[in-house]
């Protein structure tokens, strides 16, 4: 989530910096959008932006300039697919802390699996974009169902319809989510269940505190 990226990652970590970039772009668009009807408020906000190097006001610097770099094919569909899978997971642990669980997402090879790989390249991760969306302690992405499943695990099945290029590419994919309680302890720094002991920070936080989490 945003708060963890800003407060738990290293100062120059790409995840933290990318989060700041998105927040800055969002604020810029919002301020320019309401500038015609709330000019004084928009100008005041604009003048207090700490990263603006020029003295131009909001009205002299032009209208909204949306970069084409923000529009990456498949990104929207990847996020929507991940959110659909997350909703299935959260529905199975309603009223409980999702961070106390690990999830295993099983998707047969195909477009949906490839989209999820954009969000998580490695098989298992507690710090990937996919895991952040899932809001779990750890997410594992598999292309086939594991041979053995713990007795205390619950299994949820679902489908997601992918629409790409204005509907020219349509594919309905099924997925399964295996939910099981995490064996990890809560990290006292980031509050994720990724530590070996509740009295010591997790490996990721230990690196950040030691100055190794900036890359």
């Amino acid at each position: 989530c945003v708060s963890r990226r800003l407060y738990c990652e290293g100062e120059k970590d790409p995840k933290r910096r990318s989060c700041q970039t998105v927040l800055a772009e969002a604020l810029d668009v919002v301020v320019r959008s309401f500038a015609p009807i709330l000019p004084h408020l928009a100008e005041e906000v604009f003048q207090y932006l700490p990263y603006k190097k020029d003295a131009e006001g909001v009205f002299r610097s032009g209208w909204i300039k949306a970069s084409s770099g923000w529009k990456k094919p498949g990104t929207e569909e990847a996020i929507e697919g991940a959110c659909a899978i997350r909703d299935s997971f959260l529905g199975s642990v309603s009223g409980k802390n999702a961070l106390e669980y690990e999830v295993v997402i099983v998707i047969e090879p195909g477009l949906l699996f490839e989209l999820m790989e954009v969000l998580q390249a490695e098989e298992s991760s507690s710090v990937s974009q996919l895991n952040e969306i899932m809001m779990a302690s750890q997410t594992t992405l598999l292309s086939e169902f594991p041979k053995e499943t713990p007795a205390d695990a619950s299994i949820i099945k679902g489908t997601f319809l992918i629409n790409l290029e204005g509907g020219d590419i349509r594919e309905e994919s099924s997925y399964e989510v295996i939910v099981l309680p995490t064996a990890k302890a809560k990290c006292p720094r980031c509050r994720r269940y990724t530590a070996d002991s509740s009295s010591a920070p997790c490996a990721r936080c230990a690196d950040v505190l030691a100055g190794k989490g900036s890359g």
Side-chain angles (χ1 to χ4, degrees), residues 18-30 49 51-52:
S18 65
C19 183
Q20 291 177 313
T21 299
V22 170
L23 291 175
E25 285 291 327
L27 178 60
D28 187 84
V29 169
V30 169
L49 296 179
Y51 46 84
K52 289 292 183 182

Side-chain angles (χ1 to χ4, degrees), residues 7-10 187-192 201 204-206 208-209:
Y7 300 118
C8 296
E9 301 294 349
C187 172
R189 181 176 181 271
C190 68
R191 303 297 180 181
R192 293 179 176 137
R204 177 60 178 164
C205 284
V208 173
L209 293 171

Side-chain angles (χ1 to χ4, degrees), residues 99-170:
L99 285 171
E100 296 180 4
Y101 294 87
E102 297 180 11
V103 295
V104 178
I105 303 172
V106 184
I107 308 171
E108 291 185 357
L111 190 53
L112 181 58
F113 185 84
E114 292 173 4
L115 290 175
M116 293 305 102
E117 282 189 311
V118 173
L119 302 175
Q120 180 170 300
E122 57 271 49
E123 184 176 283
S124 297
S125 177
S126 60
V127 296
S128 67
Q129 290 178 303
L130 179 58
N131 190 66
E132 287 187 353
I133 295 172
M134 295 302 295
M135 301 168 62
S137 66
Q138 177 177 285
T139 297
T140 299
L141 181 62
L142 301 176
S143 59
E144 58 182 21
F145 204 87
K147 295 180 179 180
E148 296 183 2
T149 306
D152 58 349
S154 58
I155 302 173
I156 308 101
K157 297 182 179 181
T159 59
F160 179 72
L161 179 62
I162 300 171
N163 278 292
L164 284 171
E165 298 183 8
D168 291 339
I169 300 176
R170 291 170 59 88

